Amino acid sequence: EMAELTQHYEAGTWGNVLAARYLGCTPDTLRVWVGKRRVPFVRVGRLVRFRKCDLDEWLEKNRVPAMQA
């Protein structure tokens, strides 16, 4: 599965299904996030595309650190 993601990413961007798989959510959830501008995306005409580097940065920004015991 990761090989498939890597292969598609080498083409430049991911569509909704591959980006959702990478993030671990459903394509429908990702569509909602796009509509609410909660996740970074690139619009190519009417197409919505995702760059791995943008998603990685977004994931890092939303990371919640562990509590100190």
Side-chain angles (χ1 to χ4, degrees), residues 5-55:
L5 287 170
T6 303
Q7 176 187 349
H8 282 274
Y9 184 68
E10 285 167 2
T13 59
W14 287 334
N16 194 63
V17 172
L18 287 174
R21 193 178 301 166
Y22 182 70
L23 293 173
C25 67
T26 66
D28 285 342
T29 295
L30 187 53
R31 261 184 226 101
V32 170
W33 290 351
V34 165
K36 294 180 176 180
R37 306 273 173 140
R38 286 193 46 203
V39 65
F41 62 94
V42 177
R43 197 174 284 288
V44 183
R46 288 173 54 203
L47 278 179
V48 171
R49 306 294 294 176
F50 302 89
R51 298 188 314 167
K52 181 180 181 292
C53 59
D54 291 339
L55 296 178

